[in-house]
Coordinates of all heavy atoms in Angstrom, one line a residue:
M96 N 97.9 5.7 -53.4 CA 96.5 5.4 -53.0 C 95.6 6.5 -52.9 O 94.3 6.4 -53.0 CB 96.5 4.6 -51.6 CG 97.3 3.4 -51.6 SD 96.6 2.1 -52.6 CE 95.1 1.8 -51.7
F97 N 96.1 7.7 -52.8 CA 95.3 8.9 -52.6 C 94.4 9.2 -53.7 O 93.2 9.6 -53.5 CB 96.2 10.1 -52.2 CG 95.4 11.4 -51.9 CD1 94.7 11.5 -50.7 CD2 95.3 12.4 -52.9 CE1 94.0 12.7 -50.4 CE2 94.6 13.6 -52.6 CZ 93.9 13.7 -51.4
S98 N 94.9 9.1 -54.9 CA 94.1 9.5 -56.1 C 92.9 8.5 -56.3 O 91.9 8.9 -56.8 CB 95.0 9.4 -57.4 OG 95.6 8.1 -57.5
L99 N 93.1 7.3 -55.8 CA 92.0 6.3 -55.9 C 90.9 6.7 -54.9 O 89.7 6.6 -55.1 CB 92.5 4.9 -55.7 CG 93.5 4.4 -56.7 CD1 94.0 3.0 -56.3 CD2 92.8 4.3 -58.1
A100 N 91.4 7.0 -53.7 CA 90.4 7.3 -52.6 C 89.6 8.5 -52.8 O 88.4 8.6 -52.5 CB 91.2 7.4 -51.2
I101 N 90.3 9.6 -53.4 CA 89.6 10.9 -53.5 C 88.5 10.8 -54.6 O 87.6 11.7 -54.6 CB 90.6 12.0 -53.8 CG1 90.0 13.3 -53.4 CG2 91.0 12.0 -55.3 CD1 91.0 14.5 -53.4
N102 N 88.5 9.8 -55.4 CA 87.5 9.7 -56.5 C 86.4 8.8 -56.1 O 85.5 8.5 -56.9 CB 88.1 9.1 -57.8 CG 89.1 10.1 -58.4 OD1 88.7 11.3 -58.5 ND2 90.2 9.7 -58.8
D103 N 86.4 8.3 -54.8 CA 85.4 7.4 -54.3 C 84.4 8.2 -53.4 O 84.8 8.7 -52.4 CB 86.0 6.3 -53.5 CG 85.0 5.3 -52.9 OD1 83.8 5.4 -53.4 OD2 85.4 4.5 -52.1
N104 N 83.1 8.4 -53.9 CA 82.2 9.2 -53.2 C 81.9 8.7 -51.8 O 81.7 9.4 -50.8 CB 80.8 9.2 -53.9 CG 81.0 10.0 -55.2 OD1 81.8 10.9 -55.3 ND2 80.1 9.7 -56.2
Q105 N 81.9 7.3 -51.6 CA 81.6 6.8 -50.3 C 82.8 7.1 -49.3 O 82.5 7.4 -48.1 CB 81.5 5.2 -50.4 CG 80.9 4.6 -49.2 CD 80.5 3.1 -49.4 OE1 81.2 2.5 -50.2 NE2 79.5 2.6 -48.8
T106 N 84.0 7.1 -49.8 CA 85.1 7.5 -49.0 C 85.0 9.0 -48.6 O 85.3 9.3 -47.4 CB 86.4 7.3 -49.8 OG1 86.6 5.9 -50.1 CG2 87.6 7.7 -48.9
I107 N 84.6 9.8 -49.5 CA 84.5 11.3 -49.2 C 83.4 11.5 -48.1 O 83.6 12.3 -47.2 CB 84.1 12.1 -50.4 CG1 85.2 12.0 -51.5 CG2 83.8 13.5 -50.1 CD1 86.5 12.5 -51.0
R108 N 82.3 10.7 -48.2 CA 81.2 10.8 -47.2 C 81.8 10.4 -45.8 O 81.5 11.0 -44.8 CB 80.0 10.0 -47.6 CG 79.2 10.6 -48.7 CD 77.8 10.0 -48.8 NE 77.9 8.5 -49.1 CZ 77.9 8.0 -50.3 NH1 77.8 8.9 -51.3 NH2 78.0 6.7 -50.5
M109 N 82.5 9.3 -45.8 CA 83.1 8.8 -44.5 C 84.0 9.9 -43.9 O 84.1 10.1 -42.7 CB 83.8 7.5 -44.8 CG 82.9 6.3 -44.8 SD 82.2 5.9 -43.2 CE 83.7 5.5 -42.3
F110 N 84.7 10.6 -44.8 CA 85.6 11.6 -44.4 C 84.9 12.7 -43.6 O 85.3 13.1 -42.5 CB 86.4 12.2 -45.6 CG 87.4 13.3 -45.2 CD1 88.7 12.9 -44.9 CD2 87.0 14.6 -45.2 CE1 89.6 13.9 -44.6 CE2 88.0 15.6 -44.8 CZ 89.3 15.2 -44.5
F111 N 83.8 13.2 -44.2 CA 83.0 14.2 -43.5 C 82.3 13.7 -42.3 O 82.1 14.5 -41.3 CB 82.0 14.8 -44.5 CG 82.7 15.8 -45.5 CD1 82.9 15.4 -46.8 CD2 83.2 17.0 -45.1 CE1 83.6 16.2 -47.7 CE2 83.8 17.8 -46.0 CZ 84.0 17.4 -47.3
Y112 N 81.9 12.5 -42.3 CA 81.3 11.9 -41.1 C 82.3 11.9 -39.9 O 82.0 12.2 -38.8 CB 80.8 10.5 -41.3 CG 79.6 10.4 -42.2 CD1 79.4 9.2 -43.0 CD2 78.7 11.4 -42.3 CE1 78.3 9.1 -43.8 CE2 77.6 11.3 -43.2 CZ 77.4 10.2 -43.9 OH 76.3 10.1 -44.7
S113 N 83.6 11.5 -40.3 CA 84.6 11.5 -39.3 C 84.9 12.9 -38.8 O 85.1 13.1 -37.6 CB 85.9 11.0 -39.9 OG 85.8 9.6 -40.4
L114 N 84.9 13.9 -39.7 CA 85.1 15.3 -39.3 C 84.0 15.8 -38.4 O 84.3 16.4 -37.4 CB 85.2 16.1 -40.6 CG 85.9 17.5 -40.5 CD1 87.3 17.3 -40.0 CD2 85.9 18.2 -41.8
L115 N 82.8 15.4 -38.7 CA 81.7 15.8 -37.8 C 81.8 15.2 -36.4 O 81.6 15.8 -35.4 CB 80.3 15.4 -38.4 CG 79.1 15.6 -37.6 CD1 78.9 17.1 -37.4 CD2 77.8 15.1 -38.3
G116 N 82.2 13.9 -36.4 CA 82.4 13.2 -35.1 C 83.5 13.9 -34.3 O 83.3 14.1 -33.0
L117 N 84.6 14.3 -34.9 CA 85.6 14.9 -34.2 C 85.2 16.3 -33.7 O 85.5 16.7 -32.6 CB 86.9 15.1 -35.1 CG 87.6 13.7 -35.4 CD1 88.6 14.0 -36.5 CD2 88.2 13.1 -34.2
F118 N 84.4 17.0 -34.5 CA 83.9 18.3 -34.1 C 83.0 18.2 -32.9 O 83.1 19.0 -31.9 CB 83.2 19.0 -35.3 CG 82.7 20.4 -35.0 CD1 83.6 21.4 -35.2 CD2 81.4 20.6 -34.5 CE1 83.1 22.7 -34.9 CE2 81.0 21.9 -34.3 CZ 81.8 23.0 -34.5
L119 N 82.1 17.2 -32.9 CA 81.2 17.1 -31.7 C 82.0 16.6 -30.5 O 81.6 17.0 -29.4 CB 80.1 16.0 -32.1 CG 79.2 16.5 -33.2 CD1 78.2 15.4 -33.6 CD2 78.4 17.7 -32.8
S120 N 83.0 15.7 -30.7 CA 83.7 15.2 -29.5 C 84.5 16.4 -28.8 O 84.4 16.5 -27.6 CB 84.7 14.2 -30.0 OG 85.6 13.8 -29.0
H121 N 85.2 17.2 -29.6 CA 85.9 18.3 -29.0 C 84.9 19.4 -28.5 O 85.2 20.0 -27.4 CB 86.8 19.0 -30.1 CG 88.0 18.2 -30.4 ND1 89.1 18.1 -29.5 CD2 88.3 17.5 -31.5 CE1 90.0 17.4 -30.1 NE2 89.6 17.0 -31.3
G122 N 83.7 19.5 -29.1 CA 82.7 20.4 -28.6 C 82.2 20.0 -27.2 O 82.0 20.8 -26.3
Y123 N 82.0 18.7 -27.1 CA 81.5 18.1 -25.8 C 82.5 18.3 -24.7 O 82.2 18.8 -23.6 CB 81.1 16.7 -25.9 CG 80.7 16.1 -24.6 CD1 79.3 16.2 -24.2 CD2 81.6 15.5 -23.7 CE1 78.9 15.7 -23.0 CE2 81.2 15.0 -22.5 CZ 79.8 15.1 -22.1 OH 79.4 14.6 -20.9

């Protein structure tokens, strides 16, 4: 499933949104 997911731009954007959320959560 990974090769399909990594070629999806929307999935990549969600990945970075998740990363940002985790960064802010740990920062708080």
Side-chain angles (χ1 to χ4, degrees):
M96 300 292 295
F97 182 74
S98 59
L99 297 175
I101 201 169
N102 291 316
D103 183 9
N104 290 333
Q105 197 170 30
T106 299
I107 298 298
R108 284 197 298 270
M109 280 290 294
F110 182 89
F111 285 105
Y112 291 152
S113 298
L114 202 57
L115 177 61
L117 292 169
F118 184 84
L119 295 176
S120 173
H121 285 288
Y123 178 86

